[in-house]
Amino acid sequence: MMDDSLINQDPEAVEATQELLDYTNWLFSQDPKFILSVAQLDQLPPADTLEIAFAGRSNVGKSSLLNALVRKHNLARTSNTPGRTQMLNFFSLSERLLFVDLPGYGYAEAPLKIIANWNKTLRQYLMGRPSLRRVFLLIDARHGIKEKDLEMMTMLDEVAVNYQLVLTKIDKISQTELTAIEEKTRKIAEKHTACHPELLITSSEKKIGIDQVQQTIAALILDDLKR
Ligand code: GTP
Ligand code: MG
């Protein structure tokens, strides 16, 4: 079985100072709350709180990662049916942080017109959201970056929204496969201007790499508080 000790420490990782560890503990001991589901952009909550969005293909594990981060099984709805999350779902963690669970893309069975509409809504959301501090773009470690992910990365580069890649479901692959996919993913990430250099590596199922994601989030808030 794979555990945290097998993950190579990424040189780009945030430095885990005592202050950061304390703040991370405090933040993730707060009670997460569901705020609202948004189908149209005129329904968005006020953009006055630091926001972090979870994007990626249908079924990649966005809702599961969110639940693992806040240690709740059923905050965000997970499912075996791809395309379950159809709206922008907002959650709060303390008064400092909003999480957004974005609808998954690449769900082939959705009608083209609906896909086109969602893409438009998503782009408008990404472009017009000053409080959106980072997008976690989730990539299934078994499959790596796919065409639809590249399109998403290019869109994020264009709208200049800072994003960070997160490998998911690493419990499903071997250590050798993980090393290979890490290398491949980093190579692609390097070419994208708005992509953060640190690659996060996770399993929501086995709770691997979750603290590193938590620390990354806490560090973003601490940064803003110090400004
Ligand atoms: P959409 O909302 O449809 O876009 O999907 P999503 O990205 O939110 O995926 P979700 O979290 O619902 O997970 C999809 C499936 O993958 C579920 O059956 C999860 O149990 C499973 N899954 C998620 N994370 C992991 C993981 O780390 N390991 C394993 N083995 N399975 C996982
Ligand atoms: Mg989901």
Side-chain angles (χ1 to χ4, degrees):
M1 210 193 82
M2 217 177 287
D3 63 48
D4 271 340
S5 62
L6 290 172
I7 295 178
N8 301 323
Q9 182 65 36
D10 192 316
E12 303 286 351
V14 289
E15 196 196 340
T17 59
Q18 193 57 49
E19 184 193 25
L20 178 59
L21 294 177
D22 290 345
Y23 191 70
T24 306
N25 278 339
W26 174 81
L27 182 64
F28 287 91
S29 66
Q30 301 301 298
D31 205 18
K33 290 189 185 70
F34 172 75
I35 303 285
L36 84 167
S37 287
V38 166
Q40 283 165 297
L41 293 180
D42 55 6
Q43 303 166 333
L44 287 177
D48 56 7
T49 307
L50 188 147
E51 198 161 290
I52 289 179
F54 295 80
R57 295 170 64 81
S58 286
N59 216 44
V60 69
K62 298 175 291 297
S63 303
S64 301
L65 179 60
L66 226 161
N67 288 336
L69 285 168
V70 301
R71 299 188 200 96
K72 281 220 171 172
H73 287 303
N74 53 359
L75 182 72
R77 218 172 137 189
T78 64
S79 130
N80 279 317
T81 318
R84 171 68 74 203
T85 311
Q86 288 287 352
M87 303 197 192
L88 284 77
N89 291 309
F90 285 80
F91 304 89
S92 69
L93 189 64
S94 84
E95 289 173 358
R96 297 257 175 241
L97 177 62
L98 282 181
F99 284 129
V100 192
D101 192 9
L102 294 174
Y105 49 80
Y107 178 42
E109 281 173 50
L112 280 179
K113 200 170 164 197
I114 292 186
I115 295 177
N117 263 335
W118 264 115
N119 283 345
K120 199 173 139 205
T121 306
L122 191 61
R123 195 185 177 97
Q124 281 172 350
Y125 160 73
L126 294 170
M127 282 177 69
R129 197 68 180 161
S131 52
L132 180 61
R133 191 72 155 67
R134 184 163 296 176
V135 173
F136 286 124
L137 181 51
L138 278 58
I139 306 289
D140 191 318
R142 293 169 298 176
H143 311 309
I145 296 174
K146 297 282 187 190
E147 191 57 39
K148 285 274 178 293
D149 301 315
L150 282 175
E151 284 173 22
M152 184 71 184
M153 290 169 78
T154 304
M155 194 219 275
L156 289 162
D157 291 333
E158 280 168 13
V159 297
V161 169
N162 185 275
Y163 62 100
Q164 182 164 9
L165 300 183
V166 182
L167 290 180
T168 63
K169 309 192 187 184
I170 66 156
D171 57 285
K172 295 211 175 195
I173 60 171
S174 70
Q175 182 62 44
T176 316
E177 288 168 321
L178 177 60
T179 306
I181 200 74
E182 275 185 56
E183 197 180 324
K184 210 169 153 190
T185 308
R186 285 204 175 91
K187 274 214 176 99
I188 299 174
E190 274 169 15
K191 298 190 186 114
H192 288 262
T193 50
C195 188
H196 192 272
E198 184 199 358
L199 175 63
L200 292 165
I201 290 158
T202 64
S203 162
S204 301
E205 181 107 352
K206 302 275 186 237
K207 308 285 179 283
I208 303 172
I210 302 301
D211 14 349
Q212 192 58 41
V213 183
Q214 291 176 330
Q215 285 171 26
T216 302
I217 294 166
L220 290 173
I221 303 179
L222 272 184
D223 266 5
D224 276 16
L225 288 175
K226 285 178 185 164
R227 269 182 206 174

